[in-house]
mmCIF file of all heavy atoms in Angstrom:
data_model
loop_
_atom_site.group_PDB
_atom_site.id
_atom_site.type_symbol
_atom_site.label_atom_id
_atom_site.label_comp_id
_atom_site.label_asym_id
_atom_site.label_seq_id
_atom_site.Cartn_x
_atom_site.Cartn_y
_atom_site.Cartn_z
ATOM 1 N N VAL A 201 0.840 -1.184 0.013
ATOM 2 C CA VAL A 201 -0.005 0.002 0.003
ATOM 3 C C VAL A 201 0.878 1.254 -0.025
ATOM 4 O O VAL A 201 0.506 2.268 -0.591
ATOM 5 C CB VAL A 201 -0.926 -0.027 1.221
ATOM 6 C CG1 VAL A 201 -1.608 1.350 1.455
ATOM 7 C CG2 VAL A 201 -1.984 -1.074 1.059
ATOM 8 N N SER A 202 2.076 1.157 0.639
ATOM 9 C CA SER A 202 2.989 2.323 0.695
ATOM 10 C C SER A 202 3.844 2.393 -0.535
ATOM 11 O O SER A 202 4.716 3.316 -0.612
ATOM 12 C CB SER A 202 3.846 2.194 1.940
ATOM 13 O OG SER A 202 3.075 2.164 3.105
ATOM 14 N N HIS A 203 3.657 1.490 -1.493
ATOM 15 C CA HIS A 203 4.443 1.502 -2.728
ATOM 16 C C HIS A 203 5.932 1.282 -2.505
ATOM 17 O O HIS A 203 6.760 1.922 -3.172
ATOM 18 C CB HIS A 203 4.161 2.724 -3.586
ATOM 19 C CG HIS A 203 2.719 2.962 -3.831
ATOM 20 N ND1 HIS A 203 1.929 2.170 -4.669
ATOM 21 C CD2 HIS A 203 1.855 3.881 -3.331
ATOM 22 C CE1 HIS A 203 0.724 2.578 -4.647
ATOM 23 N NE2 HIS A 203 0.614 3.624 -3.859
ATOM 24 N N ILE A 204 6.266 0.474 -1.540
ATOM 25 C CA ILE A 204 7.655 0.135 -1.255
ATOM 26 C C ILE A 204 7.990 -1.144 -1.945
ATOM 27 O O ILE A 204 7.361 -2.211 -1.722
ATOM 28 C CB ILE A 204 7.908 0.053 0.279
ATOM 29 C CG1 ILE A 204 7.467 1.310 0.997
ATOM 30 C CG2 ILE A 204 9.352 -0.290 0.548
ATOM 31 C CD1 ILE A 204 8.164 2.550 0.604
ATOM 32 N N GLN A 205 9.028 -1.128 -2.771
ATOM 33 C CA GLN A 205 9.449 -2.385 -3.479
ATOM 34 C C GLN A 205 10.490 -3.096 -2.642
ATOM 35 O O GLN A 205 11.423 -2.499 -2.104
ATOM 36 C CB GLN A 205 9.998 -1.994 -4.850
ATOM 37 C CG GLN A 205 8.984 -1.437 -5.781
ATOM 38 C CD GLN A 205 9.588 -1.167 -7.172
ATOM 39 O OE1 GLN A 205 10.794 -0.977 -7.288
ATOM 40 N NE2 GLN A 205 8.740 -1.117 -8.152
ATOM 41 N N LYS A 206 10.350 -4.448 -2.633
ATOM 42 C CA LYS A 206 11.291 -5.280 -1.900
ATOM 43 C C LYS A 206 12.154 -6.043 -2.884
ATOM 44 O O LYS A 206 11.724 -6.447 -3.944
ATOM 45 C CB LYS A 206 10.539 -6.286 -1.006
ATOM 46 C CG LYS A 206 9.957 -5.664 0.236
ATOM 47 C CD LYS A 206 9.274 -6.691 1.083
ATOM 48 C CE LYS A 206 10.266 -7.641 1.701
ATOM 49 N NZ LYS A 206 9.717 -8.501 2.727
ATOM 50 N N LEU A 207 13.417 -6.162 -2.514
ATOM 51 C CA LEU A 207 14.370 -6.977 -3.266
ATOM 52 C C LEU A 207 14.130 -8.443 -2.840
ATOM 53 O O LEU A 207 14.153 -8.757 -1.670
ATOM 54 C CB LEU A 207 15.795 -6.563 -2.952
ATOM 55 C CG LEU A 207 16.902 -7.297 -3.669
ATOM 56 C CD1 LEU A 207 16.854 -6.946 -5.177
ATOM 57 C CD2 LEU A 207 18.243 -6.854 -3.100
ATOM 58 N N PRO A 208 13.927 -9.348 -3.815
ATOM 59 C CA PRO A 208 13.729 -10.764 -3.433
ATOM 60 C C PRO A 208 15.030 -11.290 -2.725
ATOM 61 O O PRO A 208 16.144 -10.977 -3.208
ATOM 62 C CB PRO A 208 13.532 -11.484 -4.777
ATOM 63 C CG PRO A 208 13.253 -10.407 -5.776
ATOM 64 C CD PRO A 208 13.814 -9.127 -5.255
ATOM 65 N N TRP A 209 14.857 -11.954 -1.660
ATOM 66 C CA TRP A 209 15.992 -12.451 -0.895
ATOM 67 C C TRP A 209 15.633 -13.796 -0.288
ATOM 68 O O TRP A 209 14.550 -13.977 0.248
ATOM 69 C CB TRP A 209 16.244 -11.432 0.251
ATOM 70 C CG TRP A 209 17.645 -11.525 0.776
ATOM 71 C CD1 TRP A 209 18.008 -12.019 1.982
ATOM 72 C CD2 TRP A 209 18.824 -11.088 0.154
ATOM 73 N NE1 TRP A 209 19.360 -11.922 2.142
ATOM 74 C CE2 TRP A 209 19.881 -11.349 1.042
ATOM 75 C CE3 TRP A 209 19.141 -10.490 -1.073
ATOM 76 C CZ2 TRP A 209 21.223 -11.072 0.749
ATOM 77 C CZ3 TRP A 209 20.426 -10.229 -1.358
ATOM 78 C CH2 TRP A 209 21.487 -10.500 -0.461
ATOM 79 N N PRO A 210 16.559 -14.746 -0.349
ATOM 80 C CA PRO A 210 16.260 -16.051 0.203
ATOM 81 C C PRO A 210 16.125 -16.003 1.704
ATOM 82 O O PRO A 210 16.870 -15.329 2.385
ATOM 83 C CB PRO A 210 17.477 -16.924 -0.216
ATOM 84 C CG PRO A 210 18.571 -15.939 -0.468
ATOM 85 C CD PRO A 210 17.909 -14.655 -0.918
ATOM 86 N N GLY A 211 15.111 -16.776 2.206
ATOM 87 C CA GLY A 211 14.924 -16.811 3.626
ATOM 88 C C GLY A 211 16.059 -17.584 4.298
ATOM 89 O O GLY A 211 16.770 -18.379 3.662
ATOM 90 N N HIS A 212 16.268 -17.318 5.571
ATOM 91 C CA HIS A 212 17.301 -18.010 6.340
ATOM 92 C C HIS A 212 18.656 -17.941 5.653
ATOM 93 O O HIS A 212 19.296 -18.942 5.425
ATOM 94 C CB HIS A 212 16.887 -19.487 6.581
ATOM 95 C CG HIS A 212 15.553 -19.639 7.142
ATOM 96 N ND1 HIS A 212 15.229 -19.291 8.455
ATOM 97 C CD2 HIS A 212 14.378 -20.044 6.604
ATOM 98 C CE1 HIS A 212 13.940 -19.491 8.646
ATOM 99 N NE2 HIS A 212 13.409 -19.946 7.557
ATOM 100 N N SER A 213 19.074 -16.697 5.363
ATOM 101 C CA SER A 213 20.323 -16.532 4.635
ATOM 102 C C SER A 213 21.320 -15.585 5.424
ATOM 103 O O SER A 213 21.736 -14.581 4.857
ATOM 104 C CB SER A 213 20.034 -15.967 3.240
ATOM 105 O OG SER A 213 19.296 -14.761 3.367
ATOM 106 N N PRO A 214 21.586 -15.945 6.660
ATOM 107 C CA PRO A 214 22.496 -15.054 7.403
ATOM 108 C C PRO A 214 23.907 -14.986 6.848
ATOM 109 O O PRO A 214 24.615 -14.022 7.105
ATOM 110 C CB PRO A 214 22.502 -15.651 8.815
ATOM 111 C CG PRO A 214 22.152 -17.074 8.629
ATOM 112 C CD PRO A 214 21.212 -17.069 7.453
ATOM 113 N N ASP A 215 24.309 -15.977 6.040
ATOM 114 C CA ASP A 215 25.650 -15.971 5.498
ATOM 115 C C ASP A 215 25.874 -14.879 4.474
ATOM 116 O O ASP A 215 27.001 -14.597 4.129
ATOM 117 C CB ASP A 215 25.984 -17.323 4.868
ATOM 118 C CG ASP A 215 26.166 -18.389 5.900
ATOM 119 O OD1 ASP A 215 26.371 -18.081 7.085
ATOM 120 O OD2 ASP A 215 26.078 -19.577 5.566
ATOM 121 N N VAL A 216 24.812 -14.260 3.968
ATOM 122 C CA VAL A 216 24.968 -13.195 2.985
ATOM 123 C C VAL A 216 24.874 -11.824 3.692
ATOM 124 O O VAL A 216 24.753 -10.804 3.012
ATOM 125 C CB VAL A 216 24.000 -13.303 1.820
ATOM 126 C CG1 VAL A 216 24.332 -14.497 0.947
ATOM 127 C CG2 VAL A 216 22.556 -13.331 2.279
ATOM 128 N N ASN A 217 24.914 -11.818 4.972
ATOM 129 C CA ASN A 217 24.921 -10.572 5.786
ATOM 130 C C ASN A 217 26.036 -10.685 6.754
ATOM 131 O O ASN A 217 25.915 -11.341 7.769
ATOM 132 C CB ASN A 217 23.551 -10.398 6.456
ATOM 133 C CG ASN A 217 23.480 -9.101 7.225
ATOM 134 O OD1 ASN A 217 24.482 -8.429 7.426
ATOM 135 N ND2 ASN A 217 22.285 -8.767 7.650
ATOM 136 N N ALA A 218 27.116 -9.956 6.466
ATOM 137 C CA ALA A 218 28.304 -10.082 7.313
ATOM 138 C C ALA A 218 28.034 -9.687 8.753
ATOM 139 O O ALA A 218 28.666 -10.206 9.695
ATOM 140 C CB ALA A 218 29.442 -9.204 6.773
ATOM 141 N N GLU A 219 27.070 -8.805 8.969
ATOM 142 C CA GLU A 219 26.770 -8.375 10.320
ATOM 143 C C GLU A 219 26.262 -9.528 11.158
ATOM 144 O O GLU A 219 26.488 -9.569 12.407
ATOM 145 C CB GLU A 219 25.699 -7.292 10.260
ATOM 146 C CG GLU A 219 25.283 -6.727 11.604
ATOM 147 C CD GLU A 219 24.234 -5.707 11.465
ATOM 148 O OE1 GLU A 219 24.448 -4.631 10.857
ATOM 149 O OE2 GLU A 219 23.120 -5.970 11.961
ATOM 150 N N GLU A 220 25.605 -10.526 10.564
ATOM 151 C CA GLU A 220 25.043 -11.626 11.326
ATOM 152 C C GLU A 220 26.117 -12.474 12.004
ATOM 153 O O GLU A 220 25.891 -13.093 13.035
ATOM 154 C CB GLU A 220 24.169 -12.514 10.413
ATOM 155 C CG GLU A 220 22.895 -11.883 9.965
ATOM 156 C CD GLU A 220 21.933 -11.536 11.096
ATOM 157 O OE1 GLU A 220 21.951 -12.251 12.106
ATOM 158 O OE2 GLU A 220 21.241 -10.544 10.969
ATOM 159 N N HIS A 221 27.325 -12.463 11.428
ATOM 160 C CA HIS A 221 28.428 -13.203 12.036
ATOM 161 C C HIS A 221 28.920 -12.504 13.282
ATOM 162 O O HIS A 221 29.600 -13.104 14.135
ATOM 163 C CB HIS A 221 29.602 -13.361 11.050
ATOM 164 C CG HIS A 221 29.224 -14.184 9.873
ATOM 165 N ND1 HIS A 221 29.149 -15.542 9.891
ATOM 166 C CD2 HIS A 221 28.921 -13.822 8.598
ATOM 167 C CE1 HIS A 221 28.791 -16.007 8.715
ATOM 168 N NE2 HIS A 221 28.683 -14.974 7.906
ATOM 169 N N ALA A 222 28.668 -11.196 13.405
ATOM 170 C CA ALA A 222 29.182 -10.446 14.535
ATOM 171 C C ALA A 222 28.465 -10.796 15.825
ATOM 172 O O ALA A 222 29.085 -10.783 16.906
ATOM 173 C CB ALA A 222 29.037 -8.933 14.256
ATOM 174 N N TRP A 223 27.171 -11.111 15.776
ATOM 175 C CA TRP A 223 26.408 -11.314 17.010
ATOM 176 C C TRP A 223 26.944 -12.491 17.818
ATOM 177 O O TRP A 223 27.104 -12.340 19.054
ATOM 178 C CB TRP A 223 24.955 -11.477 16.714
ATOM 179 C CG TRP A 223 24.381 -10.281 15.957
ATOM 180 C CD1 TRP A 223 23.710 -10.313 14.814
ATOM 181 C CD2 TRP A 223 24.529 -8.901 16.333
ATOM 182 N NE1 TRP A 223 23.434 -9.024 14.419
ATOM 183 C CE2 TRP A 223 23.896 -8.146 15.341
ATOM 184 C CE3 TRP A 223 25.134 -8.249 17.382
ATOM 185 C CZ2 TRP A 223 23.863 -6.759 15.371
ATOM 186 C CZ3 TRP A 223 25.085 -6.843 17.422
ATOM 187 C CH2 TRP A 223 24.432 -6.130 16.420
ATOM 188 N N PRO A 224 27.256 -13.651 17.247
ATOM 189 C CA PRO A 224 27.822 -14.738 18.078
ATOM 190 C C PRO A 224 29.197 -14.329 18.640
ATOM 191 O O PRO A 224 29.519 -14.688 19.794
ATOM 192 C CB PRO A 224 27.964 -15.915 17.102
ATOM 193 C CG PRO A 224 27.027 -15.628 15.981
ATOM 194 C CD PRO A 224 26.929 -14.116 15.860
ATOM 195 N N TRP A 225 29.978 -13.590 17.835
ATOM 196 C CA TRP A 225 31.292 -13.171 18.309
ATOM 197 C C TRP A 225 31.120 -12.258 19.521
ATOM 198 O O TRP A 225 31.803 -12.437 20.563
ATOM 199 C CB TRP A 225 32.022 -12.417 17.183
ATOM 200 C CG TRP A 225 33.446 -12.035 17.529
ATOM 201 C CD1 TRP A 225 34.565 -12.768 17.296
ATOM 202 C CD2 TRP A 225 33.874 -10.819 18.173
ATOM 203 N NE1 TRP A 225 35.654 -12.117 17.783
ATOM 204 C CE2 TRP A 225 35.270 -10.898 18.315
ATOM 205 C CE3 TRP A 225 33.230 -9.708 18.658
ATOM 206 C CZ2 TRP A 225 36.036 -9.884 18.904
ATOM 207 C CZ3 TRP A 225 33.970 -8.699 19.262
ATOM 208 C CH2 TRP A 225 35.346 -8.813 19.386
ATOM 209 N N ILE A 226 30.211 -11.268 19.428
ATOM 210 C CA ILE A 226 29.939 -10.392 20.542
ATOM 211 C C ILE A 226 29.449 -11.133 21.755
ATOM 212 O O ILE A 226 29.898 -10.938 22.896
ATOM 213 C CB ILE A 226 28.979 -9.271 20.106
ATOM 214 C CG1 ILE A 226 29.678 -8.344 19.092
ATOM 215 C CG2 ILE A 226 28.492 -8.465 21.328
ATOM 216 C CD1 ILE A 226 28.723 -7.338 18.434
ATOM 217 N N ARG A 227 28.464 -12.008 21.510
ATOM 218 C CA ARG A 227 27.887 -12.783 22.634
ATOM 219 C C ARG A 227 28.973 -13.604 23.382
ATOM 220 O O ARG A 227 29.004 -13.652 24.580
ATOM 221 C CB ARG A 227 26.819 -13.728 22.109
ATOM 222 C CG ARG A 227 25.991 -14.341 23.176
ATOM 223 C CD ARG A 227 24.814 -15.189 22.648
ATOM 224 N NE ARG A 227 23.941 -14.393 21.773
ATOM 225 C CZ ARG A 227 23.834 -14.568 20.439
ATOM 226 N NH1 ARG A 227 24.504 -15.480 19.824
ATOM 227 N NH2 ARG A 227 22.995 -13.806 19.754
ATOM 228 N N ARG A 228 29.863 -14.248 22.599
ATOM 229 C CA ARG A 228 30.967 -14.971 23.266
ATOM 230 C C ARG A 228 31.805 -14.075 24.119
ATOM 231 O O ARG A 228 32.217 -14.455 25.217
ATOM 232 C CB ARG A 228 31.836 -15.668 22.188
ATOM 233 C CG ARG A 228 31.343 -17.012 21.756
ATOM 234 C CD ARG A 228 32.398 -17.780 20.949
ATOM 235 N NE ARG A 228 33.033 -17.024 19.917
ATOM 236 C CZ ARG A 228 32.549 -16.850 18.673
ATOM 237 N NH1 ARG A 228 31.393 -17.389 18.344
ATOM 238 N NH2 ARG A 228 33.219 -16.186 17.778
ATOM 239 N N HIS A 229 32.149 -12.902 23.624
ATOM 240 C CA HIS A 229 33.004 -12.000 24.389
ATOM 241 C C HIS A 229 32.306 -11.391 25.619
ATOM 242 O O HIS A 229 32.944 -11.146 26.616
ATOM 243 C CB HIS A 229 33.546 -10.894 23.477
ATOM 244 C CG HIS A 229 34.636 -11.413 22.596
ATOM 245 N ND1 HIS A 229 34.377 -12.078 21.422
ATOM 246 C CD2 HIS A 229 35.983 -11.381 22.704
ATOM 247 C CE1 HIS A 229 35.522 -12.446 20.868
ATOM 248 N NE2 HIS A 229 36.518 -12.018 21.613
ATOM 249 N N ILE A 230 31.037 -11.185 25.499
ATOM 250 C CA ILE A 230 30.332 -10.622 26.663
ATOM 251 C C ILE A 230 30.200 -11.706 27.766
ATOM 252 O O ILE A 230 30.349 -11.388 28.950
ATOM 253 C CB ILE A 230 28.916 -10.122 26.244
ATOM 254 C CG1 ILE A 230 29.083 -8.849 25.503
ATOM 255 C CG2 ILE A 230 28.027 -9.939 27.455
ATOM 256 C CD1 ILE A 230 27.797 -8.275 24.941
ATOM 257 N N THR A 231 29.905 -12.919 27.372
ATOM 258 C CA THR A 231 29.696 -14.008 28.363
ATOM 259 C C THR A 231 31.021 -14.656 28.764
ATOM 260 O O THR A 231 30.973 -15.482 29.688
ATOM 261 C CB THR A 231 28.737 -15.041 27.834
ATOM 262 O OG1 THR A 231 29.313 -15.592 26.610
ATOM 263 C CG2 THR A 231 27.384 -14.462 27.561
ATOM 264 N N GLN A 232 32.113 -14.288 28.163
ATOM 265 C CA GLN A 232 33.414 -14.877 28.521
ATOM 266 C C GLN A 232 33.732 -14.714 29.993
ATOM 267 O O GLN A 232 34.140 -15.630 30.650
ATOM 268 C CB GLN A 232 34.487 -14.241 27.667
ATOM 269 C CG GLN A 232 35.881 -14.773 27.828
ATOM 270 C CD GLN A 232 36.823 -14.155 26.836
ATOM 271 O OE1 GLN A 232 36.388 -13.668 25.778
ATOM 272 N NE2 GLN A 232 38.079 -14.181 27.133
ATOM 273 N N ASP A 233 33.585 -13.534 30.525
ATOM 274 C CA ASP A 233 33.855 -13.274 31.940
ATOM 275 C C ASP A 233 32.606 -13.376 32.772
ATOM 276 O O ASP A 233 32.689 -13.267 34.006
ATOM 277 C CB ASP A 233 34.505 -11.877 32.118
ATOM 278 C CG ASP A 233 35.829 -11.791 31.425
ATOM 279 O OD1 ASP A 233 36.576 -12.790 31.387
ATOM 280 O OD2 ASP A 233 36.142 -10.680 30.888
ATOM 281 N N PHE A 234 31.472 -13.566 32.175
ATOM 282 C CA PHE A 234 30.171 -13.748 32.789
ATOM 283 C C PHE A 234 29.945 -12.819 33.972
ATOM 284 O O PHE A 234 30.067 -13.176 35.129
ATOM 285 C CB PHE A 234 29.888 -15.179 33.206
ATOM 286 C CG PHE A 234 28.443 -15.372 33.555
ATOM 287 C CD1 PHE A 234 27.466 -15.369 32.579
ATOM 288 C CD2 PHE A 234 28.039 -15.524 34.892
ATOM 289 C CE1 PHE A 234 26.149 -15.526 32.879
ATOM 290 C CE2 PHE A 234 26.696 -15.714 35.186
ATOM 291 C CZ PHE A 234 25.754 -15.691 34.185
ATOM 292 N N MET A 235 29.635 -11.588 33.619
ATOM 293 C CA MET A 235 29.266 -10.613 34.608
ATOM 294 C C MET A 235 27.764 -10.291 34.394
ATOM 295 O O MET A 235 27.425 -9.415 33.625
ATOM 296 C CB MET A 235 30.069 -9.313 34.489
ATOM 297 C CG MET A 235 31.538 -9.551 34.672
ATOM 298 S SD MET A 235 32.524 -8.040 34.602
ATOM 299 C CE MET A 235 32.061 -7.381 33.007
ATOM 300 N N PRO A 236 26.836 -11.111 35.011
ATOM 301 C CA PRO A 236 25.441 -10.914 34.747
ATOM 302 C C PRO A 236 24.972 -9.541 35.231
ATOM 303 O O PRO A 236 25.445 -8.989 36.201
ATOM 304 C CB PRO A 236 24.770 -12.012 35.591
ATOM 305 C CG PRO A 236 25.769 -12.422 36.622
ATOM 306 C CD PRO A 236 27.131 -12.102 36.043
ATOM 307 N N SER A 237 24.030 -8.991 34.474
ATOM 308 C CA SER A 237 23.490 -7.672 34.804
ATOM 309 C C SER A 237 22.032 -7.647 34.406
ATOM 310 O O SER A 237 21.644 -8.174 33.333
ATOM 311 C CB SER A 237 24.257 -6.616 34.022
ATOM 312 O OG SER A 237 23.646 -5.350 34.248
ATOM 313 N N THR A 238 21.216 -7.077 35.250
ATOM 314 C CA THR A 238 19.812 -6.878 34.887
ATOM 315 C C THR A 238 19.565 -5.441 34.453
ATOM 316 O O THR A 238 18.471 -5.086 34.112
ATOM 317 C CB THR A 238 18.907 -7.201 36.123
ATOM 318 O OG1 THR A 238 19.299 -6.408 37.204
ATOM 319 C CG2 THR A 238 19.007 -8.696 36.468
ATOM 320 N N CYS A 239 20.601 -4.636 34.449
ATOM 321 C CA CYS A 239 20.489 -3.249 34.109
ATOM 322 C C CYS A 239 20.610 -3.109 32.590
ATOM 323 O O CYS A 239 21.598 -3.459 31.983
ATOM 324 C CB CYS A 239 21.613 -2.436 34.784
ATOM 325 S SG CYS A 239 21.618 -0.701 34.320
ATOM 326 N N GLU A 240 19.535 -2.573 31.993
ATOM 327 C CA GLU A 240 19.546 -2.424 30.508
ATOM 328 C C GLU A 240 20.643 -1.527 30.069
ATOM 329 O O GLU A 240 21.279 -1.806 29.047
ATOM 330 C CB GLU A 240 18.176 -1.868 30.097
ATOM 331 C CG GLU A 240 18.076 -1.760 28.580
ATOM 332 C CD GLU A 240 16.709 -1.316 28.130
ATOM 333 O OE1 GLU A 240 15.718 -1.423 28.908
ATOM 334 O OE2 GLU A 240 16.672 -0.775 26.988
ATOM 335 N N GLU A 241 20.922 -0.468 30.764
ATOM 336 C CA GLU A 241 21.987 0.459 30.396
ATOM 337 C C GLU A 241 23.354 -0.252 30.366
ATOM 338 O O GLU A 241 24.137 -0.068 29.421
ATOM 339 C CB GLU A 241 22.035 1.635 31.363
ATOM 340 C CG GLU A 241 23.046 2.701 30.937
ATOM 341 C CD GLU A 241 23.015 3.890 31.867
ATOM 342 O OE1 GLU A 241 21.910 4.232 32.370
ATOM 343 O OE2 GLU A 241 24.085 4.466 32.084
ATOM 344 N N GLN A 242 23.641 -1.071 31.361
ATOM 345 C CA GLN A 242 24.896 -1.806 31.400
ATOM 346 C C GLN A 242 24.993 -2.809 30.257
ATOM 347 O O GLN A 242 26.006 -2.948 29.617
ATOM 348 C CB GLN A 242 25.039 -2.549 32.747
ATOM 349 C CG GLN A 242 26.307 -3.375 32.855
ATOM 350 C CD GLN A 242 27.598 -2.550 32.808
ATOM 351 O OE1 GLN A 242 27.581 -1.373 33.147
ATOM 352 N NE2 GLN A 242 28.658 -3.123 32.358
ATOM 353 N N CYS A 243 23.885 -3.480 29.946
ATOM 354 C CA CYS A 243 23.860 -4.424 28.858
ATOM 355 C C CYS A 243 24.124 -3.741 27.516
ATOM 356 O O CYS A 243 24.904 -4.207 26.692
ATOM 357 C CB CYS A 243 22.540 -5.186 28.770
ATOM 358 S SG CYS A 243 22.323 -6.358 30.122
ATOM 359 N N ARG A 244 23.476 -2.595 27.322
ATOM 360 C CA ARG A 244 23.687 -1.838 26.060
ATOM 361 C C ARG A 244 25.165 -1.397 25.981
ATOM 362 O O ARG A 244 25.745 -1.438 24.875
ATOM 363 C CB ARG A 244 22.814 -0.588 26.030
ATOM 364 C CG ARG A 244 21.374 -0.885 25.765
ATOM 365 C CD ARG A 244 20.597 0.398 25.641
ATOM 366 N NE ARG A 244 19.207 0.162 25.606
ATOM 367 C CZ ARG A 244 18.509 -0.095 24.515
ATOM 368 N NH1 ARG A 244 19.079 -0.099 23.373
ATOM 369 N NH2 ARG A 244 17.200 -0.311 24.561
ATOM 370 N N PHE A 245 25.700 -0.990 27.114
ATOM 371 C CA PHE A 245 27.114 -0.563 27.123
ATOM 372 C C PHE A 245 28.024 -1.755 26.728
ATOM 373 O O PHE A 245 28.947 -1.573 25.911
ATOM 374 C CB PHE A 245 27.540 -0.055 28.493
ATOM 375 C CG PHE A 245 29.026 0.210 28.599
ATOM 376 C CD1 PHE A 245 29.585 1.313 28.008
ATOM 377 C CD2 PHE A 245 29.834 -0.712 29.270
ATOM 378 C CE1 PHE A 245 30.956 1.504 28.090
ATOM 379 C CE2 PHE A 245 31.191 -0.490 29.325
ATOM 380 C CZ PHE A 245 31.753 0.614 28.757
ATOM 381 N N GLN A 246 27.779 -2.911 27.295
ATOM 382 C CA GLN A 246 28.607 -4.121 26.995
ATOM 383 C C GLN A 246 28.535 -4.451 25.506
ATOM 384 O O GLN A 246 29.558 -4.686 24.863
ATOM 385 C CB GLN A 246 28.146 -5.315 27.847
ATOM 386 C CG GLN A 246 28.564 -5.177 29.302
ATOM 387 C CD GLN A 246 28.038 -6.371 30.100
ATOM 388 O OE1 GLN A 246 26.883 -6.776 29.957
ATOM 389 N NE2 GLN A 246 28.904 -6.938 30.887
#
């Protein structure tokens, strides 16, 4: 309805988005020293 055209893209294709590889890398580094936090600000900072 908004006249926005989409580029066809295969579903479940994280390998064609380099950024998707970063999330597991970041998660590993954040949990490496395991400093749990319930503070949203601290999590965003990490």
Side-chain angles (χ1 to χ4, degrees):
V201 167
S202 301
H203 307 289
I204 305 298
Q205 294 182 336
K206 285 181 68 169
L207 182 67
W209 201 253
H212 308 289
S213 55
D215 289 341
V216 293
N217 183 348
E219 181 182 295
E220 293 296 329
H221 296 283
W223 304 126
W225 185 92
I226 291 171
R227 191 175 302 112
R228 274 194 311 276
H229 284 81
I230 287 176
T231 59
Q232 183 174 337
D233 297 326
F234 192 71
M235 298 182 305
S237 173
T238 57
C239 175
E240 184 176 338
E241 185 177 325
Q242 178 64 26
C243 289
R244 285 183 191 273
F245 172 77
Q246 287 177 314

